[in-house]
Amino acid sequence: MFLPTQSYLTVVRQPKALHNAKEQVARSAGRSRYLTETCCFDPNRIRRARHKTLVHQHESWGNVRADLVKRTGVQRQETRISHSKHTFLMNLKGEARLGEDFIDGRRISFAARRPGSIVYIPAHSEWTGWDEGDATASYLLVSIKREFADRTLGEIASYSVAELPPSIGFRDSSLEMALQKIAIELKYPDPLSAMMVESQATQLFVRLMRLNGINQEPAKGGLSSFDLKRAVHMIESSGDQRPSLADLAREIGVSRFHFCRAFKQSTGMTPHAFMAQRRLERSADMLRSSELSATEIALECGFGSSSHFTIAFKRAFGASPTEYRRSCRI
């Protein structure tokens, strides 16, 4: 079995200029030659920005590598990610409000990236651009070898992982859960971490294939895209006061029975399950970005009690709210 390597932590404070950031990292860590040889990921190269402090923790398990980066005093950030591996990036803290994005030189529309938003870049594709937002920001970057993805997915699907398109700034609770579990293994590695991380990497690709409709029959009889957007907007804008089925059906102009059936055909889940997922996503956002206690977040998100919140959250994310918050902070 491949045993995980030592987890490396690099801290940089008040760099004088971007061009000497590597020297600052090596000097702070006190092992410049060793870091140069072992750390192939450089936050100052792929996401260049002036900053006051930088903390970088990373771990490799052979087929999968994870990097956790936190900066303070961040100004305009310039991105250039092009890798021979498939890459996932999840925003953990801080919001990017303005910017531009390009995929393989083609400009795509920019949308604000809040904590929890995910980026997927296939091997040999390139994501470039810039963004500006909160001064304190952190992200998790997971890179996965093409050979591992092809070998693993080739056993369960007649589809090449390389054909999955890049996607910038989307939300999905299943992907977020898998990435958070990898982050936990990064922070607390043990001899079983390689097996755990590879299983989560497999789930990342399986979920992406489902989101892209691979090997699935097209949904028939579901809500129109316009009606689905109206329903989702009503759910997401209601806060902790969840709309009833009758309210949602009335908004669309159909019976409750027809709405439930059509909603499930369009989303793959019942309205109740969809609302529960959105509520958990909101609670995860608040754990990352606020200082509210878990009990306060439970009440804010509409859970009946803190114990109910803890049970539901651990079932969804594989960690208690406290453990999840700890894993998001270096």
Side-chain angles (χ1 to χ4, degrees):
M1 176 186 293
F2 181 88
L3 295 180
T5 60
Q6 179 184 357
S7 180
Y8 299 105
L9 180 64
T10 303
V11 180
V12 185
R13 296 187 183 277
Q14 297 180 342
K16 294 181 180 179
L18 290 175
H19 72 271
N20 66 357
K22 284 187 177 180
E23 287 79 6
Q24 293 280 345
V25 172
R27 191 177 304 115
S28 297
R31 51 174 187 262
S32 59
R33 181 179 178 183
Y34 192 62
L35 272 176
T36 301
E37 293 172 351
T38 60
C39 183
C40 61
F41 170 87
D42 181 0
N44 290 303
R45 182 172 60 84
I46 73 160
R47 307 207 81 191
R48 203 157 51 112
R50 292 189 178 275
H51 53 264
K52 292 181 179 178
T53 66
L54 180 150
V55 181
H56 177 202
Q57 187 173 358
H58 59 93
E59 181 77 68
S60 176
W61 299 272
N63 290 314
V64 184
R65 176 187 168 102
D67 291 81
L68 193 58
V69 177
K70 178 181 179 180
R71 290 187 176 109
T72 64
V74 178
Q75 299 179 20
R76 177 181 169 125
Q77 184 169 241
E78 297 180 0
T79 299
R80 186 186 182 105
I81 295 181
S82 179
H83 207 292
S84 61
K85 301 177 182 179
H86 303 299
T87 303
F88 291 84
L89 185 146
M90 182 167 69
N91 189 17
L92 297 176
K93 187 172 184 177
E95 180 178 353
R97 299 184 183 88
L98 301 172
E100 291 181 299
D101 287 317
F102 299 84
I103 294 293
D104 296 326
R106 179 175 57 86
R107 183 173 181 174
I108 61 174
S109 61
F110 177 88
R113 292 190 286 271
R114 300 182 62 243
S117 65
I118 297 170
V119 173
Y120 171 67
I121 306 298
H124 302 304
S125 286
E126 183 181 58
W127 171 33
T128 57
W130 63 271
D131 60 68
E132 295 177 351
D134 292 339
T136 298
S138 61
Y139 63 87
L140 171 73
L141 186 141
V142 174
S143 53
I144 303 168
K145 286 185 176 180
R146 289 179 301 130
E147 298 80 5
F148 169 78
D150 291 338
R151 183 175 65 250
T152 303
L153 273 295
E155 299 173 358
I156 60 176
S158 57
Y159 188 86
S160 172
V161 175
E163 296 178 54
L164 286 168
S167 187
I168 308 294
F170 65 101
R171 296 295 302 270
D172 182 78
S173 59
S174 296
L175 290 174
E176 184 177 343
M177 282 185 269
L179 289 167
Q180 282 292 352
K181 289 178 181 179
I182 292 175
I184 291 172
E185 297 301 323
L186 161 64
K187 294 179 71 68
Y188 308 106
D190 62 32
L192 297 177
S193 290
M195 186 180 299
M196 181 65 171
V197 166
E198 289 187 356
S199 70
Q200 298 306 315
T202 300
Q203 289 192 42
L204 290 173
F205 288 114
V206 170
R207 181 58 179 165
L208 268 185
M209 294 174 75
R210 286 178 171 170
L211 289 175
N212 283 278
I214 307 305
N215 290 345
Q216 293 183 359
E217 292 293 329
K220 297 179 181 179
L223 294 172
S224 68
S225 59
F226 177 73
D227 285 340
L228 181 60
K229 287 180 180 179
R230 288 168 61 196
V232 170
H233 176 74
M234 188 172 178
I235 291 170
E236 294 183 339
S237 62
S238 61
D240 61 335
Q241 300 297 322
R242 292 185 296 170
S244 67
L245 286 178
D247 293 333
L248 291 166
R250 189 180 306 113
E251 175 71 17
I252 304 303
V254 296
S255 68
R256 286 188 298 176
F257 174 79
H258 178 80
F259 175 79
C260 287
R261 181 174 58 82
F263 189 90
K264 185 173 182 179
Q265 287 176 318
S266 296
T267 64
M269 61 182 71
T270 65
H272 175 76
F274 185 87
M275 285 187 276
Q277 176 177 289
R278 284 293 193 266
R279 184 168 58 169
L280 285 166
E281 289 175 354
R282 184 183 175 212
S283 67
D285 285 346
M286 295 179 72
L287 285 167
R288 279 192 300 265
S289 59
S290 79
E291 297 302 323
L292 295 176
S293 69
T295 299
E296 290 172 320
I297 291 174
L299 295 175
E300 182 72 18
C301 293
F303 289 91
S305 65
S306 58
S307 60
H308 175 212
F309 172 50
T310 299
I311 292 171
F313 195 92
K314 190 166 187 177
R315 185 185 299 121
F317 289 90
S320 70
T322 301
E323 292 168 338
Y324 179 90
R325 171 173 271 171
R326 191 182 301 123
S327 73
C328 294
R329 300 178 177 179
I330 300 179

